[in-house]
Amino acid sequence: MNTLLSVSIALLAGLLMTRLFKPMKLPSVTAYLIAGVLIGPYCLGALGIHGLGFNSHSDLSTLALVSEVALGFIAFSIGNEFRLEDLKKTGKQAFVIGIFQALVATLFVDIALLGVHLIMPDKLTAAQAITLGAIATATAPAATLMVVRQFKAHGPLTKLLLPIVALDDAIGLIVFAVSFGIAKTMVSGQMDLVSIIVNPLIEITLSLVLGAIMGWVLTQLEKLFNSNTNRLNLTIGVVFLTASLSMIEFSIGPVHIGFSSLLTCMMLGTVFCNICSLSHDLMEASDKWTSPLFAVFFVISGAELELNVFADWAIVVIGIVYIIFRSLGKYLGTLGSAKATNCSPEICKYLGITLLPQAGVALGMCTIAAAQWPEQGGLIRNITLFAVLIYELFGPMFTKMALTAAGEIKPMSDEVKQRRKNKLEAAKEMKK
């Protein structure tokens, strides 16, 4: 009962908040996140009234499955953007920009935070600075996808944006593994090549292989059904299965065997969209089914944001430096690589702004740091949480502004407005 009550509260709070935000024309994802903050443990949840909000983070942990499923479908949807006919046109640009902007963001944050370390060595170590630089690579695919869907963004920038966001996961895993390994070596003095090189390569390879196999299996099973409803049910079931399989992990000696759920589900979507002729229609139907799931996911994400990070001035200062230099790195790295690959002026100018949101992958990285490195990982986690709080609240707004300025979010035409007005008037007449 408690889980169902929590899900219903999250969904209703998110939907009601979108009504309040509608006059401001802000993205729905921002409304969902703020709704989550309001019903979270630091606001209404702190009152301790059952059914009014989430009283503690343990209440939120019961909804972890919802978040895992939502991330699986988000990754599956982004994977469907890797259609070969589109990649032939933008594949090289997406690959170059995806790698370059991630590495430049890491470089900028590394240099800036190492400077902070020299000024405040008692607050931030060099090892922590390097780890935070690696976390700077990650971009939140969920927030970006939600803005694109809500406003039906379409055009060259959008087609380039989604593959780049997807590439960030693979690039981030590699950069984080190498940087975190170096950071631990700086502290312990022992080099661990297995965790720096072998484990991330195994994780990426296994994730892509598992996703490709499940994509082929899904396409073959689709042939057994003629009804689009049954095909949709099958698609949902296979995404569930793939997300659950990607949670398997174990170790063989020093080698860790595991998967990235985002990479696995992205690969599932990529293979599915390229070898199944019905993938486009099924994705449209799937988008309608996942809409409330994504709403609940973002409300939960908002409730999970740690507002107590503002209590420590050092975290606020370091967090502000992190946000400024990561944003500069993302923007300038994208600008330079976009110009180098002969992208249009609109893409050069606005693409970097759309890559600012940060959440899931970054939180996963800081969680690993906190678990494997208790003595220094706590600070890394708090700074990342501070940055995520700011990026998640303002990133979607900047993404919308950039896509609108690039001409890929079109204002509602007078014809559409009139058609909607006529429908509302007709509905009122029928009620009379």
Side-chain angles (χ1 to χ4, degrees):
M1 186 188 77
N2 289 336
T3 302
L4 287 175
L5 180 62
S6 298
V7 169
S8 62
I9 290 171
L11 182 57
L12 291 173
L15 292 174
L16 291 173
M17 190 59 68
T18 61
R19 297 304 89 192
L20 293 176
F21 274 52
K22 190 175 182 181
M24 292 180 275
K25 297 182 179 179
L26 295 175
S28 292
V29 61
T30 303
Y32 296 145
L33 288 163
I34 291 177
V37 171
L38 291 177
I39 65 173
Y42 295 99
C43 294
L44 292 177
L47 299 176
I49 301 174
H50 186 67
L52 189 60
F54 299 108
N55 303 132
S56 66
H57 285 284
S58 61
D59 292 343
L60 290 166
S61 64
T62 62
L63 300 178
L65 180 62
V66 176
S67 298
E68 288 291 340
V69 172
L71 283 172
F73 278 98
I74 288 165
F76 178 66
S77 297
I78 291 177
N80 269 270
E81 300 299 325
F82 283 89
R83 296 181 182 271
L84 288 178
E85 60 266 26
D86 294 331
L87 289 178
K88 288 176 182 177
K89 302 174 186 176
T90 62
K92 180 182 176 182
Q93 292 173 329
F95 185 76
V96 172
I97 296 171
I99 293 177
F100 196 74
Q101 56 84 23
L103 295 179
V104 171
T106 295
L107 180 63
F108 271 46
V109 174
D110 277 345
I111 293 173
L113 292 186
L114 286 172
V116 172
H117 160 66
L118 294 176
I119 298 170
M120 300 189 298
D122 57 323
K123 295 292 183 181
L124 183 72
T125 67
Q128 289 170 325
I130 291 173
T131 304
L132 285 166
I135 293 173
T137 58
T139 299
T144 304
L145 180 65
M146 283 289 287
V147 173
V148 169
R149 280 189 180 179
Q150 180 188 350
F151 297 101
K152 297 179 174 59
H154 181 73
L157 193 155
T158 304
K159 288 183 178 179
L160 195 57
L161 167 62
L162 294 177
I164 290 173
V165 170
L167 281 172
D168 258 8
D169 190 26
I171 298 165
L173 283 173
I174 296 172
V175 174
F176 177 76
V178 173
S179 296
F180 188 48
I182 292 172
K184 288 192 293 184
T185 299
M186 292 172 66
V187 174
S188 66
Q190 297 178 345
M191 178 68 73
D192 183 5
L193 292 177
V194 172
S195 62
I196 295 176
I197 299 174
V198 177
N199 286 342
L201 290 178
I202 288 176
E203 182 174 332
I204 291 169
T205 302
L206 290 180
S207 299
L208 295 178
V209 170
L210 176 59
I213 292 172
M214 296 306 294
W216 180 84
V217 169
L218 173 58
T219 304
Q220 300 309 308
L221 292 177
E222 295 281 3
K223 297 175 184 178
L224 302 177
F225 301 93
N226 296 319
S227 165
N228 280 339
T229 300
N230 286 335
R231 285 174 173 153
L232 174 61
N233 293 339
L234 175 65
T235 303
I236 293 170
V238 171
V239 175
F240 272 51
L241 177 60
T242 305
S244 63
L245 291 175
S246 66
M247 295 179 191
I248 296 172
E249 56 180 298
F250 56 92
S251 297
I252 302 175
V255 178
H256 177 75
I257 307 296
F259 304 87
S260 163
S261 60
L262 281 174
L263 267 184
T264 305
C265 291
M266 280 179 193
M267 193 61 180
L268 165 67
T270 300
V271 172
F272 176 63
C273 77
N274 281 290
I275 65 177
C276 179
S277 59
L278 299 169
S279 63
H280 189 271
D281 293 337
L282 289 171
M283 281 308 302
E284 285 188 352
S286 175
D287 290 347
K288 295 176 182 177
W289 182 87
T290 54
S291 178
L293 178 66
F294 291 171
V296 174
F297 167 74
F298 281 108
V299 174
I300 295 170
S301 298
E304 288 176 336
L305 294 175
E306 297 274 2
L307 301 187
N308 60 358
V309 294
F310 290 106
D312 189 337
W313 69 268
I315 289 175
V316 174
V317 170
I318 297 168
I320 290 172
V321 173
Y322 172 92
I323 290 169
I324 291 172
F325 282 89
R326 177 183 177 271
S327 301
L328 284 173
K330 286 282 182 181
Y331 184 79
L332 295 177
T334 302
L335 177 64
S337 54
K339 285 184 176 181
T341 52
N342 301 315
C343 292
S344 67
E346 288 77 16
I347 291 175
C348 294
K349 188 175 182 180
Y350 298 113
L351 179 59
I353 299 173
T354 65
L355 297 173
L356 296 183
Q358 188 175 45
V361 178
L363 291 174
M365 291 176 180
C366 73
T367 300
I368 292 171
Q372 297 185 11
W373 200 12
E375 64 276 10
Q376 300 202 46
L379 179 68
I380 293 170
R381 182 176 181 274
N382 286 337
I383 292 169
T384 305
L385 287 170
F386 174 83
V388 166
L389 174 63
I390 304 302
Y391 276 127
E392 281 295 87
L393 292 178
F394 295 99
M397 289 189 282
F398 288 134
T399 298
K400 183 205 168 187
M401 290 165 58
L403 291 173
T404 302
E408 302 199 3
I409 293 179
K410 306 280 192 305
M412 192 182 297
S413 66
D414 293 336
E415 181 183 348
V416 174
K417 288 179 181 177
Q418 187 62 44
R419 195 159 54 236
R420 289 192 174 185
K421 184 179 178 181
N422 292 340
K423 284 183 178 179
L424 288 172
E425 290 176 354
K428 289 178 182 178
E429 288 297 325
M430 289 179 67
K431 287 182 179 179
K432 292 179 181 179

